[in-house]
Amino acid sequence: MGRRSSGLVGAWAEAQRREEMRRQAAHRAWQRDQREFERARVRGERAQQAAYRQGREAEARRRTEEIEARVAALGGLLVAGCAEPPFRPGALRQAEELEPFAPGALAQPVAMPDPARYQPQAGWGFGAQQRQAEARARFERDWQAAVAAEEQRQRQLAAYREQYDRWAAARRAEIRRHNAGIAELEAALGRGEPEAVVEYFSAALYAGAVWPEGFPRRVTAAFDAAGRRLVLDWELPRYEVVPAARAVRYVVSADEERETARPAGQRRGLYREVLAQCVLLVLRDVFAADAAGVLESVVVNGLVEDRDPATGRRARIVLASVMAGREAFSELLLEEVSAVDCLVTGLGGRLSARPDQGAAVAAGARPGDVGEGRLSLGEDDPDLLEMDPVAFEGLVAELFRARGMRAVTTQRSNDGGVDVEAVDPDPISGGRLVVQVKRYRGTVPPTAVRDLYGTVQSLGANKGILVTTSGFGPGSYAFAEGKPLTLIGGTELVGLLAEAGLPGRLGGRAGSGGATAGAGAATAGAGAGAGAAT
């Protein structure tokens, strides 16, 4: 190969080498661009994911804050209600001030034509007089049109004014009739006429502005004129008013919001607090509205529309009941009280121990009872020592049902030493319970406790409970130690009945020193006038 050929091959090889280097550099640049693009894509996805996550977390926090605000509003219901001004009859009156007459565009007169704008065009000679006549004709035509429009406006204005005056006169007459009716209502209220009392205090309850959204506001009322006692059935909110969730959190791995359940005991306690606040707020609104001193006492039965656990049917279940006298209620500082303690202990009312399960309490006087000479709560709570044995066993069974159990009395002819059978649904501490009821005045002997233990063993029950109106000696407690037995004496029984909102006392009369479940109440006088409204 000659020198010339060698030079050509070398140049070609160098060109190939340079081209390869260029291609490699371009490929590396492309790879860098691809890597940068991929990094930018990943950063963008991560930013989107972070923004999405932050949005979902913010939504979870918002829902949690809504739940907390709802719970705070439920807890502060009574305090908020006490801050509201009391209802007065004047709130029912209507002001006579009416909207003023407002004719709008009819109030503006029609603008009359300005003669200065109708001057003929300047110029001398032939046609000047004709132009002046034409200008005068245009002015007179527009003037006549303006006069006609003004006359039409005035006719329309007069008709509109007449229409307004007729409406205003009729409206003022209507307002005066209404206010005269309110004056008559006030006079009848002062005389204690039942229909007026019911109408006025129902209006006072419906006027309350603090009830949260979703709370029912239905009342049935009656007035016992002889006893100066107002009797109310007030519908309470259902258990669902208390949020089932305590908080909401966003779970990234599942990409979903999950609720943290509110503990059942906490939710039930808050619901009982809400019910107690509702009843106290009804009492507050009624007594605060009674500036004339018409009422001596008020009975409130708080009910819910729900399925009766005993029958499975829809029913109006009484979850709270109280009778409050004016003087005793006026001494309460409602802004400072614990609502449950105030209702049950301070006023001697009844509040369901298991309202979430529809466990009812004994109602006080009902609106349909007023004027029939019937007795209400408290003073005639049954003396457990004097009760019919079957009725006493039924009361004990009702106590277990009020505590969330299924309980029935047994057939007396073949009860095998068992008076009440109950099932506690608690999956840990529950099970089948056998209950013996001893209406004794003296101490229960240890043999009764030993017999109950034998019954528990023979029936394979989880626990035996002995309930008595009296008490137990040291031998009974020593034998029951370490065994699935519970001994309930008379004083403890009365306390449990009171906690469940059930009546019962041991000897004496209510308020005269005997142990009592529930509070005293007035008697509805026979033949008392009554009015009712729903």
Side-chain angles (χ1 to χ4, degrees):
M1 180 181 296
R3 181 177 300 172
R4 179 178 176 82
S5 299
S6 222
L8 290 173
V9 170
W12 177 83
E14 180 64 20
Q16 291 295 316
R17 185 180 67 81
R18 290 179 179 178
E19 178 63 22
E20 180 63 23
M21 291 177 63
R22 186 190 65 76
R23 284 199 299 267
Q24 290 178 358
H27 182 68
R28 287 194 296 272
W30 177 83
Q31 288 181 324
R32 286 196 300 271
D33 291 343
Q34 287 296 107
R35 287 195 295 271
E36 183 59 32
F37 174 80
E38 183 64 20
R39 285 194 291 267
R41 185 187 65 79
V42 170
R43 287 196 299 269
E45 288 182 353
R46 287 176 178 172
Q48 289 180 347
Q49 292 173 354
Y52 176 77
R53 177 175 178 175
Q54 290 172 0
R56 296 297 299 270
E57 289 174 345
E59 176 63 16
R61 285 194 300 272
R62 184 193 64 79
R63 291 182 58 194
T64 298
E65 290 169 358
E66 285 184 351
I67 293 171
E68 292 172 347
R70 176 72 173 177
V71 170
L74 293 175
L77 178 61
L78 182 58
V79 173
C82 290
E84 289 292 308
F87 183 81
R88 290 290 180 264
L92 298 173
R93 292 192 181 89
Q94 297 178 2
E96 290 193 25
E97 291 84 2
L98 303 179
E99 293 182 6
F101 179 62
L106 288 176
Q108 301 297 325
V110 176
M112 304 305 287
D114 182 5
R117 300 180 62 183
Y118 291 83
Q119 297 298 322
Q121 294 180 358
W124 299 93
F126 180 78
Q129 292 182 350
Q130 182 179 353
R131 289 193 296 272
Q132 188 173 9
E134 290 174 352
R136 185 180 303 111
R138 288 197 307 273
F139 171 75
E140 290 177 354
R141 184 175 62 249
D142 291 348
W143 179 270
Q144 292 300 326
V147 168
E150 175 61 14
E151 291 174 350
Q152 176 68 12
R153 182 193 71 84
Q154 292 181 2
R155 286 193 298 270
Q156 290 178 339
L157 180 62
Y160 189 25
R161 180 73 201 203
E162 182 181 359
Q163 180 184 1
Y164 171 83
D165 290 342
R166 286 198 304 269
W167 170 82
R171 180 62 183 144
R172 286 193 180 94
E174 181 184 348
I175 292 173
R176 287 164 184 164
R177 285 193 300 271
H178 171 82
N179 289 341
I182 299 303
E184 293 177 5
L185 174 65
E186 286 189 73
L189 181 66
R191 294 190 297 269
E193 295 181 9
E195 290 185 2
V197 172
V198 166
E199 182 179 358
Y200 172 71
F201 287 107
S202 296
L205 289 173
Y206 285 128
V210 300
W211 299 104
E213 182 180 356
F215 272 47
R217 296 175 68 175
R218 288 194 290 272
V219 64
T220 302
F223 181 59
D224 167 19
R228 295 171 59 196
R229 180 182 57 168
L230 183 66
V231 181
L232 305 170
D233 278 358
W234 178 262
E235 188 168 351
L236 296 170
R238 292 162 54 88
Y239 183 56
E240 292 75 15
V241 74
V242 179
R246 184 176 59 186
V248 179
R249 61 188 179 90
Y250 172 60
V251 181
V252 179
S253 59
D255 189 24
E256 64 181 13
E257 294 176 0
R258 292 180 183 173
E259 295 182 346
T260 302
R262 189 175 301 278
Q266 182 187 105
R267 191 180 181 196
R268 182 188 308 117
L270 180 54
Y271 184 49
R272 294 184 80 232
E273 182 76 16
V274 169
L275 298 183
Q277 288 186 88
C278 288
V279 173
L280 292 176
L281 190 52
V282 168
L283 289 172
R284 181 266 174 190
D285 286 351
V286 169
F287 279 122
D290 188 21
V294 175
L295 305 177
E296 184 63 33
S297 62
V298 177
V299 176
V300 179
N301 298 299
L303 312 98
V304 293
E305 295 276 357
D306 208 342
R307 195 172 301 279
D308 188 338
T311 66
R313 298 179 179 274
R314 300 290 297 183
R316 304 189 75 194
I317 303 171
V318 179
L319 297 182
S321 183
V322 66
M323 198 238 28
R326 169 187 291 277
E327 184 176 353
F329 192 80
S330 66
E331 295 176 354
L332 299 175
L333 298 176
L334 290 180
E335 299 88 341
E336 305 294 334
V337 302
S338 162
V340 172
D341 292 339
C342 179
L343 179 65
V344 176
T345 304
L347 294 175
R350 308 173 193 274
L351 180 63
S352 173
R354 295 271 182 171
D356 53 311
Q357 299 180 9
V361 300
R366 305 295 294 275
D369 302 335
V370 169
E372 300 177 5
R374 297 181 60 167
L375 301 178
S376 65
L377 306 179
E379 185 176 356
D380 281 355
D381 277 353
D383 182 356
L384 303 181
L385 296 171
E386 301 296 336
M387 285 185 71
D388 175 81
V390 176
F392 182 48
E393 292 176 7
L395 179 63
V396 172
E398 182 64 27
L399 171 61
F400 282 88
R401 285 193 288 270
R403 298 180 69 85
M405 305 180 198
R406 299 188 295 274
V408 295
T409 56
T410 60
Q411 296 292 328
R412 299 182 60 79
S413 59
N414 187 28
D415 60 12
V418 178
D419 300 314
V420 175
E421 287 192 5
V423 176
D424 186 347
D426 190 288
I428 298 177
S429 61
R432 182 187 178 191
L433 313 179
V434 294
V435 184
Q436 288 185 353
V437 178
K438 305 292 185 182
R439 195 165 51 86
Y440 285 1
R441 292 182 181 270
T443 302
V444 176
T447 54
V449 182
R450 286 195 291 268
D451 291 342
L452 173 61
Y453 184 57
T455 301
V456 170
Q457 290 181 312
S458 63
L459 296 178
N462 296 81
K463 180 183 288 188
I465 301 175
L466 186 53
V467 180
T468 182
T469 52
S470 57
F472 304 91
S476 296
Y477 286 111
F479 179 81
E481 180 71 25
K483 299 180 177 67
L485 300 176
T486 297
L487 308 181
I488 300 176
T491 302
E492 184 181 3
L493 173 60
V494 168
L496 292 172
L497 289 170
E499 181 181 331
L502 295 172
R505 57 188 172 86
L506 290 176
R509 305 296 293 174
S512 62
T516 308
T523 301
T534 302

